[in-house]
Amino acid sequence: MAVKKKGLGRGLDALFPEKSVKPTEQKSAQKSVPASENSHQQSENTSAVKPEPEMKDTAQAAPVEPKKTEVLVKISKVEPNRTQPRKQFNEDALLELSESIKQFGILQPLLVSNKGDYYEIIAGERRWRAAKLAGLKEVPVIVKEFNDQQVVEISLIENIQREDLNPIEEAMAYKRLIDEFKLKQDSIAERVSKSRTAVTNSLRLLKLDDRVQKMLIDEMISAGHARAILAITDKEKQANVAMKVFDEKLSVRETEKLVKHIVDPPKKVQKPVNMAEDAIYESLEEKMKGIIGSRVFIHRKKNNKGKIEIEYYSRDELERIIDLFESIR
């Protein structure tokens, strides 16, 4: 299995270099979290905000007083970013996180921008949703101002690092950076610490039929299946193959073979037609049928070789044919 990159390239480090909590504060906050939950927290961390080590939002440290760089605001004043890449949230995981927040509070503050009459979430929508489920009235936030491109990049990097995006959401985020902000694929790859090929392959998934994309989002097929299906240009055939993959539980390798057969079907070897010779052999078959009284087939091979096949339909008929051959002797 390939080792996953944990770095973020220069993306968020360049956008958001300062740290909001000193190392000593991080250490003291960690001690208040049960050890079994502390490891689960780490995957939630991003380079965008590192006030304290987060437990993928499923475990939180004991409530602490707001630092100079963070403030408590009413949760009703915080709203999600409607353009953030992530659209789907696992309900069971949110419930698990909300129970942790009830016990320990929110360890890592949300990153937000001030929109005047409300705060828009840049990073931490999952924490915000779980906090609402937990019944919190206030949430800790860090207020920062970013332009639209930076907001998209931060949301994308945060979700990619935690592997929270499905393949289509990730591809749509890349497409937005290209279409709206005119970024090149090389630049996007550098920001999210992925290869240019990985970004290109992700964008190619948007060429799939909408039905196939939905199956990929619903995890009915994998990204490997989807990339194999991309070799088919006809959208209807794409959907049919995807459904066949799901129904028959085909592996990626089996899917590749199926697609190859559809895209480049094997050519049938056509035997040369000799109508005059065919007529001669048909005449011989009829002549032998008249003698034996049963259907006869002559199977031709190369170099004037072949075999004769005689049909019979009962034991009595077989014995009759044998008697006929014996009488010829």
Side-chain angles (χ1 to χ4, degrees):
M1 182 178 294
V3 177
K4 297 174 183 173
K5 292 186 179 180
K6 295 184 179 179
L8 290 179
R10 299 184 316 193
L12 292 189
D13 290 336
L15 296 174
F16 192 20
E18 65 265 34
K19 313 296 182 185
S20 60
V21 178
K22 298 178 181 178
T24 55
E25 293 170 330
Q26 287 183 330
K27 187 174 181 181
S28 62
Q30 275 184 317
K31 289 180 180 179
S32 63
V33 184
S36 61
E37 298 179 1
N38 188 52
S39 61
H40 189 40
Q41 172 181 342
Q42 300 302 324
S43 59
E44 174 70 10
N45 288 343
T46 69
S47 294
V49 185
K50 293 185 179 178
E52 290 142 331
E54 188 70 57
M55 287 181 276
K56 200 174 182 181
D57 280 347
T58 57
Q60 307 291 333
V64 293
E65 291 298 320
K67 313 295 187 300
K68 292 180 181 179
T69 54
E70 67 183 67
V71 294
L72 284 173
V73 301
K74 291 183 178 180
I75 198 169
S76 58
K77 287 286 187 179
V78 181
E79 295 185 11
N81 177 5
R82 295 181 181 86
T83 62
Q84 88 125 317
R86 190 180 184 190
K87 305 301 180 185
Q88 295 186 323
F89 294 84
N90 184 290
E91 294 298 327
D92 291 337
L94 283 178
L95 288 172
E96 180 185 352
L97 176 56
S98 69
E99 290 301 317
S100 174
I101 288 175
K102 287 178 184 178
Q103 284 188 336
F104 304 107
I106 296 180
L107 172 59
Q108 181 173 327
L110 284 63
L111 181 63
V112 301
S113 62
N114 191 338
K115 296 297 183 181
D117 55 346
Y118 72 96
Y119 296 94
E120 184 177 73
I121 299 172
I122 299 174
E125 182 174 342
R126 187 166 174 268
R127 275 164 276 162
W128 173 77
R129 288 174 178 264
K132 291 182 71 176
L133 288 174
L136 267 61
K137 302 299 181 184
E138 294 180 318
V139 289
V141 303
I142 294 176
V143 182
K144 288 285 181 179
E145 298 308 317
F146 296 103
N147 61 37
D148 290 344
Q149 178 179 329
Q150 290 171 323
V151 170
V152 175
E153 289 181 11
I154 291 170
S155 298
L156 176 59
I157 292 170
E158 180 197 33
N159 284 297
I160 285 178
Q161 189 186 44
R162 296 193 335 237
E163 299 182 346
D164 280 340
L165 298 179
N166 65 56
I168 298 301
E169 286 175 337
E170 184 175 342
M172 291 297 294
Y174 293 150
K175 188 174 186 298
R176 186 180 177 207
L177 288 173
I178 292 171
D179 293 345
E180 293 187 28
F181 307 112
K182 311 306 178 186
L183 291 184
K184 302 296 183 182
Q185 291 186 25
D186 289 337
S187 180
I188 295 172
E190 182 181 1
R191 281 165 164 78
V192 300
S193 281
K194 292 200 173 190
S195 67
R196 185 184 185 282
T197 301
V199 174
T200 301
N201 286 336
S202 177
L203 287 165
R204 289 178 63 234
L205 295 175
L206 299 179
K207 296 180 180 180
L208 290 167
D209 180 78
D210 291 342
R211 292 165 289 182
V212 182
Q213 292 186 31
K214 184 65 167 61
M215 292 176 71
L216 182 54
I217 292 171
D218 294 340
E219 298 182 350
M220 296 170 67
I221 60 174
S222 71
H225 291 117
R227 285 192 290 270
I229 294 172
L230 274 169
I232 302 173
T233 56
D234 184 273
K235 296 296 181 70
E236 193 64 35
K237 287 182 179 179
Q238 285 182 355
N240 292 337
V241 170
M243 188 55 66
K244 181 180 179 67
V245 169
F246 175 71
D247 289 340
E248 300 182 13
K249 302 295 184 291
L250 299 183
S251 67
V252 173
R253 182 64 60 84
E254 290 169 334
T255 303
E256 290 172 346
K257 290 181 179 179
L258 173 62
V259 170
K260 184 178 180 181
H261 190 274
I262 293 173
V263 174
D264 187 20
K267 296 178 181 179
K268 294 181 179 179
V269 179
Q270 300 250 342
K271 292 183 179 180
V273 178
N274 190 328
M275 298 183 66
E277 188 175 320
D278 287 345
I280 292 172
Y281 278 93
E282 286 177 5
S283 175
L284 290 173
E285 288 174 346
E286 288 297 320
K287 187 174 182 180
M288 294 179 69
K289 178 182 177 182
I291 297 171
I292 299 174
S294 295
R295 291 191 65 183
V296 176
F297 299 95
I298 301 175
H299 299 284
R300 291 171 282 168
K301 296 182 180 180
K302 293 180 180 179
N303 301 324
N304 295 319
K305 296 179 180 180
K307 63 179 180 180
I308 298 173
E309 179 182 338
I310 302 172
E311 285 190 352
Y312 63 91
Y313 309 102
S314 66
R315 187 182 181 89
D316 290 341
E317 188 169 7
L318 175 59
E319 291 177 352
R320 178 186 64 78
I321 295 172
I322 292 173
D323 290 342
L324 178 60
F325 285 145
E326 288 180 345
S327 66
I328 296 175
R329 290 190 307 176

